[in-house]
Amino acid sequence: MAEAARIDGKAFADGLRGRVATHAAAFAQATGRAPGLAVVLVGDDAASQVYVGAKGKACAEAGLASFEHRLPADTSKAELLALVEQLNRDPQVDGILVQLPLPAGLDEQAVIAAIDPDKDVDGFHVINAGRLAVGQAGFVPCTPLGCLMLLQDRLGDLSGLDAVVIGRSNIVGKPMAQLLTDANATVTLAHSRTKNLPEVVRRADIVVAAVGRPEMVRGDWIKPGATVIDVGINRLPPTDDKPKGRLVGDVAYSEAVSVAGAITPVPGGVGPMTIAVLLRNTLVAAHIHAGLDVPEGL
Ligand code: NAD
């Protein structure tokens, strides 16, 4: 059988960022201000510093204003909530993102609950989770929305396809299952207690793996021709030729690539979509706040 097509998330994300940039310029022309994203980072977690830096750079490239707030690790809950309140009221700010994880002692749910749901461009607020659950317009978490975009770009109409999502987190697995259900796929949400997982996965036309276990999904779990979206980002222990450790997904790519019809690589698959969708969500929020029609084709 021919090798699976490689789903190029980087190229798709670049295209989306380009479309966001075009619409952001038109927005600025119409309103006299750029769409604005506020990013709040508490503490000095190394990975979070990298993500926040990347988000700021991506905003600048797309013509979005980014407002970074870096707070010390010993920031109190009251101080953090006061900042969120200030950002909720700030008319320059269309989207608010509080970088997770927060330092121990700060209640993540309380902080997310304080964000104005209409500025919650991460889609983590319970109001937005509820909107997604009942099919109302709202903000959808960036990673699963990016996965849906890649799937629809590859497969077109998903109606009637069997989809298996592995992992039931609030930020990836659950919203992914809801998005696929809304797109008329027949969805199984598998997790750590699922029995006979390889058999369950073998029935799927679409597999979305969001577990956080390196190369857990083996090639012989995949139905021939299936489309495989690998959300996992796992760093393997360092070796002589990879002193920082190789990055792998939740799917054993070298096995799955000879069975699947199409598959996302790690890195270069789902990863680049997350920031691109964050920019997209911020642009959408800006249009809603300004009373303008949300651009189509995003
Ligand atoms: P999480 O730890 O919150 O959830 C993992 C899920 O996997 C849980 O629901 C659990 O039930 C399930 N699980 C654990 N062991 C299992 C097993 N043996 N069999 C079946 N299911 C099992 O993780 P998350 O936040 O959803 O992230 C999942 C992965 O995706 C991680 O590797 C993370 O780094 C990655 N991720 C990538 C992006 C991106 O931008 N590409 C964004 C978010 C998360």
Side-chain angles (χ1 to χ4, degrees), residues 167-257:
R168 56 177 161 185
S169 72
N170 289 333
I171 63 169
V172 189
K174 273 187 215 159
M176 187 75 246
Q178 285 168 328
L179 287 169
L180 287 165
T181 305
D182 289 348
N184 300 317
T186 303
V187 182
T188 302
L189 181 49
H191 47 75
S192 53
R193 306 290 177 90
T194 297
K195 283 188 241 160
N196 303 327
L197 185 60
E199 257 172 59
V200 171
V201 174
R202 238 172 254 134
R203 291 200 293 265
D205 305 305
I206 294 170
V207 181
V208 181
V211 182
R213 290 184 167 230
E215 302 182 322
M216 182 187 84
V217 177
R218 310 309 308 186
D220 65 1
W221 297 21
I222 304 295
K223 173 168 148 179
T227 303
V228 179
I229 304 289
D230 190 352
V231 183
I233 303 177
N234 310 289
R235 194 170 285 284
L236 295 180
T239 55
D240 287 344
D241 56 332
K242 290 273 177 191
K244 282 192 186 162
R246 196 162 59 93
L247 274 190
V248 297
D250 291 343
V251 179
Y253 185 92
S254 58
E255 295 175 13
V257 76

Side-chain angles (χ1 to χ4, degrees), residues 14-26 35 58 62-64 276-283 287 298:
D14 285 348
L16 177 56
R17 286 161 68 143
R19 295 193 293 282
V20 169
T22 303
H23 290 296
L64 271 57
V277 176
L278 175 67
L279 302 177
R280 176 234 176 246
N281 283 356
T282 305
L283 180 80
H287 281 78
L298 282 171

Side-chain angles (χ1 to χ4, degrees), residues 22-66:
T22 303
H23 290 296
F27 179 90
Q29 192 87 46
T31 65
R33 70 174 184 90
L37 174 66
V39 180
V40 180
L41 173 61
V42 188
D44 40 25
D45 180 78
S48 294
Q49 307 257 12
V50 173
Y51 296 144
V52 167
K55 286 167 187 170
K57 185 165 169 274
C59 278
E61 285 170 5
L64 271 57
S66 87

